[in-house]
């Protein structure tokens, strides 16, 4: 499982430079033909990981209900994300993963609620959720690689 968490950490290390090297305007820009932007994708991977791994395990999440509403599956950008919101997402990018690693090491993932993903894969354990999350983040990193060329 540590290797899967390490893969997620690599994914997050690929995402972090977007928060450092792109302006607030670039992070918020929705290119023609797209339904979201760079910052939405970053917020989404943070929120999705918390929902898939922690919420389905009955553990506390590190993201607010407001953040979940903005970045959960099916949500779309509905306004300009402020620098304060970008800073919050930036702070959570690695803290959430660190907490997941700590919780896994401390064997806190005991009561997982089975969940069928939109891909048809059924998550039956926290280990499944952590593995699926790596796949999910990879999809969004790919989207971000396309978006970055258009902002």
């Amino acid at each position: 499982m540590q290797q899967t968490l390490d893969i997620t950490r690599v994914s997050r290390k690929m995402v972090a430079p977007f928060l450092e090297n792109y302006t607030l305007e670039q992070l918020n820009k929705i290119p023609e033909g797209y339904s979201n932007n760079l910052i939405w994708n970053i917020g989404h991977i943070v929120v999705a990981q918390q929902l898939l791994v922690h919420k389905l395990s009955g553990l506390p999440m590190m993201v607010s209900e407001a953040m979940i509403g903005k970045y959960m599956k099916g949500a779309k950008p509905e306004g300009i994300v402020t620098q304060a919101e970008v800073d919050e997402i930036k702070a959570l990018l690695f803290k959430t993963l660190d907490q997941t690693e700590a919780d896994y090491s401390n064997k806190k993932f005991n009561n997982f609620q089975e969940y069928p993903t939109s891909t048809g894969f059924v998550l039956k354990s926290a280990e499944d959720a952590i593995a699926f999350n790596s796949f999910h983040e990879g999809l969004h990193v790919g989207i971000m690689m396309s978006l970055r060329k258009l902002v």
Side-chain angles (χ1 to χ4, degrees):
M1 185 51 48
Q2 186 57 52
Q3 189 169 14
T4 304
L5 290 164
D6 291 345
I7 290 167
T8 303
R9 190 166 298 282
V10 168
S11 169
R12 303 259 171 130
K13 285 179 181 176
M14 291 178 70
V15 167
F18 285 94
L19 297 169
E20 296 292 331
N21 301 328
Y22 287 77
T23 65
L24 191 57
E25 182 180 345
Q26 289 173 309
L27 290 170
N28 276 291
K29 183 176 180 180
I30 302 173
E32 189 172 330
Y34 285 80
S35 60
N36 55 45
N37 52 30
L38 290 170
I39 195 61
W40 186 89
N41 278 277
I42 300 168
H44 176 69
I45 65 169
V46 169
V47 164
Q49 185 269 345
Q50 288 287 286
L51 291 169
L52 289 170
V53 179
H54 283 81
K55 184 173 184 177
L56 290 175
S57 296
L59 295 176
M61 295 186 295
M62 297 177 69
V63 294
S64 67
E65 289 298 323
M67 184 176 271
I68 292 168
K70 284 183 85 166
Y71 299 106
M72 66 186 215
K73 177 182 165 189
K76 293 183 181 175
E78 294 188 14
I80 301 299
V81 173
T82 66
Q83 187 61 51
E85 291 171 296
V86 171
D87 293 343
E88 180 181 13
I89 292 167
K90 183 178 174 181
L92 289 168
L93 192 62
F94 290 100
K95 283 183 186 177
T96 51
L97 186 55
D98 293 341
Q99 187 64 53
T100 300
E101 286 185 296
D103 289 346
Y104 190 79
S105 293
N106 292 320
K107 301 184 183 340
K108 290 188 176 182
F109 295 110
N110 299 315
N111 299 311
F112 192 82
Q113 179 184 343
E114 192 172 289
Y115 177 76
T117 69
S118 58
T119 64
F121 188 79
V122 179
L123 306 177
K124 295 182 180 185
S125 67
E127 289 83 2
D128 287 353
I130 291 167
F132 181 81
N133 182 70
S134 289
F135 162 76
H136 176 259
E137 288 195 19
L139 292 174
H140 285 278
V141 169
I143 293 166
M144 291 173 61
M145 295 297 182
S146 293
L147 283 169
R148 73 180 176 175
K149 298 173 184 173
L150 303 170
V151 300

